[in-house]
């Protein structure tokens, strides 16, 4: 069998690349080692009639990015649609105080100014400045960094700002979340609204450039909300699958690639675990670096990559918890009913503390909890009058050394998963009336479970490796990396481990497809 391009992995980046190349007219084959396609885009039935997204759930990055712009109309033809709310996010503090961010600028300014005079105006100024910088900033975040277009982009900025001005602007983008929040806002509640978003970027509030990412997220949420996929995240996978098939391509599941075949420094095909050989002229590998260099390219002489792999770091683990409820949850704090994503967090210090405990291998005493209400946006997710809740805890330890609270014993996720889920449920139940009585079913996914489901989620790390600045931008995944290319001619490394990093934007798949002429 021979095709033009083999794509290893059917996550968002692989699907984007395959679709764009198929639309170009090339023959594409997507190989997925699991029984279902989609990678982290996965929807399951928690109880009869209750649909929950196992991992990825919110599509603002795809909807607002170049991949979504190029593929959105095609996917819509195959049944993909978004569900929205004008209230994308909120923070709920332990004392019951809540702050909601909406897609209405005037409402946001008024709400934050009411918390502390000037906070709303400062928010508006930060978002307006981001909007002014957006063409340059998003080009850096999303395009191929090692390219003539990027050289021309930087040259244009030197002409506009001056060399020192550009250096100063770049330095400003390295501020940590804590630094941005403390220097911009007065109210702890305002700071708490934005602080947890650092964790969704694979960072902490102390990490360099987490402040810049916080401003990007604030801008995106206000401008576009936090849309979910109608029918569940797997629905977008079905739409991709139909589009690829329509253009003559194929997604094959239960197809574990044993190795990438390299002859005289050039990719010539792949070999499956069952012995089947597939010839192709290029391979796009949406995998973690360890999978690529320790397994798929085993036997290929790549001393620089293997040396760099020794120091490559994965980030914190992720813990997912889903509930099927026998009724619509009634929040003790009013105004949260239609919010897409609610963070349970007290302040910047609380977010810092929970992530620090996880970084040190401890189960956090009070984890930062993100609560999604997908059935509020999309009633098809649950029977009429019922509900599902999606919880993500982005500060779980990859390897457990102990419990910061000293209450849960054991260091194996299989043993502590349910006790840790009990801790999360107890926190949630303080904010929802009669919550425990509403629970029809509960399903927890520990970092260990997530890695079992997807080998690229090493230790449950959903971000493809630490997103600290030394492993990001020009240096992702390695210091010498160049647009995912280099190890062999015809091979492009894509996915969360490569620029522009994690999330549901499909950026690396988009860039790779464009590199191949799509």
């Amino acid at each position: 069998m021979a095709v033009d391009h083999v794509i290893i992995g059917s996550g968002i980046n692989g699907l984007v690349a395959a679709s764009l190349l198929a639309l170009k007219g090339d023959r594409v084959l997507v190989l997925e080692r699991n029984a279902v396609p989609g990678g982290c885009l996965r929807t399951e039935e928690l109880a009869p009639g209750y649909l929950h997204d196992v991992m990825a759930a919110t599509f603002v990055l795809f909807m607002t990015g170049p991949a979504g712009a190029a593929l959105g109309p095609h996917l819509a033809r195959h049944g993909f649609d978004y569900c929205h709310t004008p209230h994308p996010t909120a923070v709920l503090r332990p004392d019951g105080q809540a702050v909601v961010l909406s897609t209405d600028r005037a409402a946001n300014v008024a709400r934050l100014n009411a918390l502390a005079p000037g906070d709303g105006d400062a928010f508006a100024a930060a978002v307006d400045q981001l909007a002014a910088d957006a063409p340059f900033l998003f080009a850096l975040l999303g395009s191929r960094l090692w390219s003539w277009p990027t050289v021309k982009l930087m040259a244009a900025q030197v002409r506009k700002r001056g060399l020192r001005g550009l250096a100063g602007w770049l330095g400003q983008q390295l501020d940590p979340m804590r630094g941005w929040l403390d220097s911009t806002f007065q109210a702890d509640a305002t700071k708490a609204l934005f602080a947890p978003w650092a964790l969704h970027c694979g960072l902490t509030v102390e990490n360099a450039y987490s402040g810049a990412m916080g401003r990007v997220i604030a801008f995106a949420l206000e401008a576009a909300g936090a849309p979910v996929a109608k029918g569940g995240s797997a629905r977008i996978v079905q739409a991709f699958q139909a589009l690829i098939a329509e253009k003559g391509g194929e997604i094959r599941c239960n197809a574990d690639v044993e190795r990438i075949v390299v002859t005289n420094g050039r990719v010539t095909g792949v070999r499956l675990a069952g012995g089947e050989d597939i010839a192709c002229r290029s391979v796009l590998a949406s995998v973690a670096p360890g999978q690529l260099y320790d397994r798929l390219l085993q036997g290929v002489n790549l001393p620089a990559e293997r040396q760099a792999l020794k120091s490559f770091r994965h980030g914190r683990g992720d813990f997912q918890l889903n509930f099927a409820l026998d009724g619509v949850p009634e929040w003790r704090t009013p105004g949260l009913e239609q919010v897409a994503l609610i963070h349970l967090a007290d302040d910047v210090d609380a977010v810092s503390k929970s992530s620090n405990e996880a970084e040190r291998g401890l189960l956090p005493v009070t984890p930062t909890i993100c609560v999604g209400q997908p059935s509020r946006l999309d009633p098809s997710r649950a029977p009429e009058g019922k509900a599902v809740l999606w919880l993500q805890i982005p500060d779980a330890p990859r390897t457990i050394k102990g419990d910061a609270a000293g209450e849960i014993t054991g260091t194996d996720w299989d043993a502590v998963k349910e006790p840790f889920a009990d801790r999360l449920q107890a926190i949630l139940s303080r904010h929802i009336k009669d919550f425990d009585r509403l629970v029809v079913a509960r399903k927890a996914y520990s970092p260990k479970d997530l890695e079992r489901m997807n080998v690229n989620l090493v230790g449950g790390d959903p971000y493809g490796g630490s997103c600290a600045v030394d492993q990001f931008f020009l240096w992702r995944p390695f210091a010498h990396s160049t647009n995912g290319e280099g190890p062999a001619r015809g091979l492009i490394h894509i996915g969360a481990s490569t620029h522009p990093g994690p999330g549901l934007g499909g950026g690396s798949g988009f860039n790779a497809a464009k590199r191949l002429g799509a």
Side-chain angles (χ1 to χ4, degrees):
M1 180 181 181
V3 296
D4 293 314
H5 314 286
V6 165
I7 294 91
I8 303 174
S10 63
I12 188 70
N13 286 288
L15 294 172
V16 165
S19 298
L20 290 170
L21 292 168
L23 285 166
K24 173 178 176 279
D26 291 355
R27 296 166 297 165
V28 299
L29 175 63
V30 181
L31 299 175
E32 171 58 56
R33 73 193 306 269
N34 290 324
V36 294
C40 291
L41 300 171
R42 188 163 177 165
T43 305
E44 295 182 352
E45 193 172 52
L46 183 54
Y50 293 89
L51 299 177
H52 73 100
D53 290 329
V54 175
M55 289 173 276
T58 306
F59 288 87
V60 63
L61 293 179
F62 183 76
M63 186 179 76
T64 59
L71 295 171
H74 299 285
L75 297 173
R77 288 191 296 103
H78 293 288
F80 175 61
D81 196 8
Y82 300 105
C83 297
H84 298 267
T85 173
H87 309 291
T89 192
V91 66
L92 178 58
R93 305 179 74 193
D95 63 2
Q97 181 189 25
V99 183
V100 178
L101 186 77
S102 76
T103 54
D104 183 327
R105 165 62 64 82
N108 290 332
V109 171
R111 186 176 294 114
L112 298 183
N113 275 339
L115 293 172
D119 273 9
D121 299 316
F123 166 77
V127 173
D128 285 343
Q129 183 60 56
L130 193 287
D133 290 334
F136 175 43
L137 179 60
F138 288 119
L140 284 179
L141 291 175
S143 63
R144 295 169 64 239
L145 292 179
W146 294 97
S147 64
W148 280 113
T150 299
V151 172
K152 294 176 182 176
L153 178 72
M154 298 299 290
Q157 289 296 311
V158 170
R159 290 193 297 270
K160 176 182 176 180
R161 304 172 189 265
L163 188 59
R164 287 296 303 167
L166 177 58
W169 183 89
L170 291 170
Q172 291 172 2
Q173 306 316 304
L174 295 177
D175 63 338
M177 178 74 84
R178 182 187 288 277
W180 171 52
L181 295 177
D182 284 345
S183 64
T184 306
F185 304 112
Q186 300 301 313
D188 286 340
T190 303
K191 299 175 188 179
L193 176 64
F194 300 111
W197 286 100
L199 307 184
H200 294 280
C201 301
L203 301 169
T204 71
V205 294
E206 278 84 22
N207 280 139
Y209 83 90
S210 58
M213 296 310 297
R215 293 187 289 274
V216 168
I217 289 171
F219 169 80
L221 289 171
E222 185 186 65
V228 300
K230 186 175 183 179
S233 293
R235 190 67 195 87
I236 191 174
V237 180
Q238 295 166 10
F240 271 115
Q241 195 165 18
L243 173 59
I244 292 167
E246 177 186 70
K247 299 302 177 182
E250 180 186 0
I251 299 178
R252 287 174 57 182
C253 294
N254 296 310
D256 187 15
V257 178
E258 180 180 277
R259 66 185 178 97
I260 298 169
V261 180
V262 178
T263 306
N264 296 324
R266 167 168 283 281
V267 165
T268 57
V270 299
R271 172 166 290 180
L272 301 187
E276 179 183 358
D277 289 315
I278 301 171
C280 61
R281 57 187 175 90
S282 74
V283 170
L284 285 68
S286 185
V287 298
Q291 287 291 315
L292 182 60
Y293 296 108
D294 280 345
R295 190 169 72 92
L296 298 176
L297 291 174
Q298 190 174 22
V300 180
N301 185 30
L302 297 168
E305 284 74 15
R306 292 206 169 82
Q307 182 62 36
L309 186 61
K310 294 178 181 179
S311 58
F312 181 79
R313 307 184 311 280
H314 279 280
R316 296 182 304 279
D318 181 39
F319 191 99
Q320 298 284 153
L321 182 60
N322 295 273
F323 290 96
L325 303 180
D326 189 30
V328 176
E330 184 180 353
W331 294 92
R332 295 184 184 277
T333 300
L336 298 174
E337 292 75 18
Q338 300 300 325
V339 177
L341 297 169
I342 303 167
H343 285 110
L344 307 185
D346 190 11
D347 53 21
V348 179
D349 287 342
V351 175
S352 176
K353 180 176 182 291
S354 65
S355 61
N356 179 268
E357 287 167 347
E359 294 270 4
R360 292 185 288 121
L362 302 176
L363 299 171
V365 176
T366 307
T368 302
I369 303 173
C370 181
V371 183
Q373 304 188 96
S375 54
R376 284 288 197 176
L377 283 66
D378 176 15
S380 72
R381 302 287 188 98
E384 186 175 356
K386 315 298 183 183
V388 294
L389 290 183
W390 172 94
L391 273 64
Q392 183 179 59
I393 295 79
D395 50 13
R398 293 175 56 244
T399 302
I400 302 172
K401 297 180 181 178
D403 177 23
E407 299 169 348
I408 300 174
T409 59
T411 57
D412 187 330
W413 268 116
D414 288 340
V416 308
K417 175 174 66 176
E418 293 304 327
F420 188 61
D422 290 340
R423 175 175 296 173
L424 303 173
Q425 183 169 334
I427 294 171
L428 184 59
S429 66
R430 297 170 199 159
H431 297 286
I432 297 176
K433 294 180 181 179
D434 299 320
F435 180 74
D436 292 341
R437 295 183 186 179
L438 290 176
V439 177
V440 173
R442 182 181 88 175
K443 184 67 177 293
Y445 301 86
S446 73
K448 191 173 182 179
D449 292 327
L450 296 180
E451 183 172 6
R452 288 186 185 116
M453 295 171 67
N454 186 333
V455 295
N456 296 302
L457 304 179
V458 179
D461 169 17
Y463 302 109
S466 168
C467 295
V469 69
D470 65 303
Q471 285 192 176
F472 217 67
F473 300 113
L474 294 171
W475 311 284
R476 192 160 186 86
F478 306 138
H480 68 277
S481 297
T482 306
N483 299 326
E485 304 166 33
R489 295 190 304 277
L491 171 65
I492 304 179
H493 187 194
I494 64 173
S497 299
T498 66
H499 179 75
L504 295 180
S508 64
F510 180 86
N511 290 338
K514 292 300 180 183
R515 171 73 178 82
L516 295 171

